Amino acid sequence: MKTSESSASAVFEVFNLKRDLSELIMDRSSWTWRRVLPGLCVAAVATAVCGCKGDDAKPEGKATVARAAVATVERAPIEKTLSVAGEFVPFQEVELHAKVAGYIRRINVDIGDKVRTGEVLATLEVPELNAQVTGAEAGVRHSQEEIALAKSEVVRAEANYHALHMAADRLRQAAGARPGMIAQQELDDAEAKDRAAEAQVAVAKSTVAAQEQQMAVASAEKMHYSSLADYSRITAPFDGVVTWRYADTGALIQAGTSNAGSMPVVKVAEVSVLRLRIPVPESLAGYVRDGDVADVRVQATGDRFRGKVVRTTGALDRTTRSMQVEVDVANPKGRLTPGMYADVTLRIAGSPDALTVPVQALDRGTNGTSVLVVKRDHTVERRAVRTGLETPDAVQVVDGLHEGERVIVGNLASFEPGQHVDARPSAMAQASAGKEQ
């Protein structure tokens, strides 16, 4: 009613203005007509316009439908990766100690020298050890002579036994042929000598056995000191490079077995193959498997190559809460050096045809993970889902959704189950579609 009254009032005012204009036109010579006419025209037009706007100023209220940015559930490849810095370490590295104490008579290598397995790196001077080796060799020769003497004694005892045994047999045969011919005392003496000679043979053989055992002891002692003498030459345990030299000619070196703080002579590392050691955090340690692909970029050289995980510690470091993973890297030309860092992208797990949604579609709450699905009738439904692999942009849905369904992306707290929405593709979905085209 108020709108109709204002419209009628506006029309009435326009009518009055027209009447005034008619009167002014009748008197064209009037000064007032020339000055007032333009203003009256403007006022009339403004009044009419204001009256028309008043009709539409307050339209009747209508119910609004909230807009919702949605993304389509679709199948796409998804891959879980880890980007982390790794460090190159030698495949093998060892500090070589002296087995015996002595002075360095000669050292044959220096840092950076390449060595082969068995190559003599340093020689020690151990005078007392040489004397011990000489004594052990003399002990062996003495045992050999004792064995020879004992064997000769066995031969002599056996010959004596043989003679006495034959004499006793003849007396027994004669006494048997002619009883009483040989006195019993003589027979008893012959048998006693026979048994004594037999016992002497057994003693001689036992002496030989004892001397042979003594020979074994002497030989073992000789081997012991000879082995220690061999340890006076420090050799390379594998092919590698000398990374450090701790001693010079004439330096006194303590035995590594008797002194825990003994100084090593040299350090040798195998660098033809390097270990790329990668710390994997606790949250991803369970995904790592032998054979996983690792893309490597060496910061110092700019080299890029691909490797595979060959071994893991299988346990977390209690200090860093990470698991050490290793990739073997061939280094035949020595271009890579232990201690270099590399940027590693580890492909932990993946699926070539996974059902995926944007990460922004997930609502992670105390009751589990859910999404808001826009049904065909444009109403919202909350649905629980079970997720799998996750990347910074997308997440795999293992259960709870079907391909082609639409889920709300972002601002999830603004929507309630059962609410009607105006579903519009999200900017992320449009950008993804543009990339695919």
Side-chain angles (χ1 to χ4, degrees):
M1 292 297 294
K2 290 183 179 179
T3 303
S4 301
E5 291 176 359
S6 61
S7 300
S9 176
V11 172
F12 181 76
E13 290 177 1
V14 171
F15 177 79
N16 291 335
L17 287 172
K18 288 181 179 180
R19 187 185 61 184
D20 294 338
L21 285 174
S22 299
E23 292 176 356
L24 289 173
I25 290 172
M26 295 300 294
D27 187 10
R28 293 183 181 179
S29 62
S30 171
W31 176 85
T32 305
W33 178 81
R34 291 193 303 270
R35 297 293 303 270
V36 176
L37 180 60
L40 292 176
C41 293
V42 172
V45 173
T47 303
V49 171
C50 291
C52 295
K53 285 186 177 181
D55 294 342
D56 299 331
K58 297 181 181 180
E60 294 182 1
K62 296 182 179 179
T64 59
V65 178
R67 289 186 178 182
V70 297
T72 304
V73 181
E74 57 186 8
R75 292 194 175 276
I78 189 169
E79 191 173 53
K80 195 175 189 67
T81 61
L82 169 66
S83 297
V84 67
E87 181 182 8
F88 288 103
V89 297
F91 191 78
Q92 296 184 85
E93 187 174 31
V94 63
E95 292 181 339
L96 299 179
H97 292 256
K99 178 73 172 179
V100 294
Y103 294 92
I104 293 182
R105 182 170 63 188
R106 184 174 61 256
I107 185 164
N108 304 322
V109 295
D110 211 329
I111 59 173
D113 290 347
K114 294 182 179 180
V115 296
R116 309 290 293 180
T117 303
E119 181 179 346
V120 177
L121 308 181
T123 305
L124 301 181
E125 183 69 32
V126 191
E128 61 275 18
L129 183 58
N130 295 333
Q132 290 171 332
V133 172
T134 302
E137 290 175 348
V140 170
R141 289 193 297 270
H142 176 73
S143 295
Q144 290 173 344
E145 295 295 335
E146 290 291 336
I147 290 173
L149 180 61
K151 287 182 177 179
S152 299
E153 185 63 25
V154 170
V155 173
R156 187 190 66 81
E158 286 179 344
N160 185 43
Y161 166 70
H162 181 70
L164 294 174
H165 182 69
M166 294 299 293
D169 281 346
R170 284 193 296 270
L171 289 175
R172 283 192 291 269
Q173 290 175 3
R178 293 184 179 182
M181 178 180 176
I182 299 175
Q184 186 63 36
Q185 182 65 36
E186 188 176 354
L187 288 172
D188 293 340
D189 290 342
E191 291 179 359
K193 291 178 180 180
D194 183 18
R195 289 193 294 270
E198 185 179 8
Q200 284 296 107
V201 172
V203 170
K205 290 182 178 180
S206 297
T207 302
V208 171
Q211 293 300 327
E212 288 177 345
Q213 292 177 358
Q214 186 62 34
M215 174 66 180
V217 173
S219 298
E221 187 175 3
K222 177 187 175 182
M223 186 180 298
H224 169 71
Y225 288 116
S226 298
S227 298
L228 291 180
D230 291 339
Y231 283 125
S232 64
R233 294 187 301 273
I234 300 175
T235 59
F238 48 78
D239 296 349
V241 62
V242 177
T243 59
W244 202 252
R245 169 175 161 171
Y246 298 95
D248 297 318
T249 302
L252 175 61
I253 301 298
Q254 299 296 329
T257 56
S258 60
N259 187 357
S262 63
M263 181 178 66
V265 180
V266 293
K267 181 190 289 187
V268 179
E270 182 180 354
V271 296
S272 58
V273 177
L274 298 178
R275 300 172 187 259
L276 179 56
R277 195 161 288 168
I278 309 163
V280 177
E282 179 181 1
S283 58
L284 300 177
Y287 291 98
V288 180
R289 297 290 184 273
D290 290 350
D292 287 345
V293 177
D295 294 321
V296 182
R297 183 179 72 85
V298 183
Q299 299 175 0
T301 63
D303 292 344
R304 294 176 179 270
F305 53 88
R306 179 170 293 180
K308 291 185 178 181
V309 174
V310 294
R311 68 187 66 86
T312 66
T313 58
L316 295 177
D317 186 339
R318 294 179 181 272
T319 304
T320 62
R321 305 305 301 172
S322 62
M323 182 177 69
Q324 294 297 322
V325 173
E326 290 185 348
V327 176
D328 287 348
V329 179
N331 187 33
K333 297 181 179 179
R335 182 175 174 84
L336 303 176
T337 304
M340 283 184 175
Y341 284 96
D343 296 325
V344 183
T345 301
L346 192 61
R347 301 180 183 179
I348 298 175
S351 175
D353 190 29
L355 202 62
T356 61
V357 296
V359 174
Q360 293 79 1
L362 297 181
D363 184 10
R364 294 185 172 95
T366 56
N367 296 328
T369 303
S370 61
V371 296
L372 296 179
V373 180
V374 178
K375 298 190 297 183
R376 293 184 178 180
D377 59 357
H378 301 288
T379 59
V380 177
E381 177 189 0
R382 180 175 296 277
R383 192 179 300 172
V385 295
R386 186 162 56 91
T387 60
L389 298 176
E390 184 173 340
T391 67
D393 301 323
V395 63
Q396 178 187 15
V397 178
V398 179
D399 186 30
L401 289 176
H402 300 284
E403 185 178 1
E405 291 186 308
R406 297 178 300 172
V407 294
I408 298 178
V409 180
N411 199 22
L412 303 181
S414 301
F415 303 96
E416 297 291 339
Q419 179 181 354
H420 281 77
V421 294
D422 180 12
R424 302 290 180 90
S426 67
M428 292 181 294
Q430 293 175 349
S432 177
K435 290 180 181 180
E436 293 177 357
Q437 292 177 357

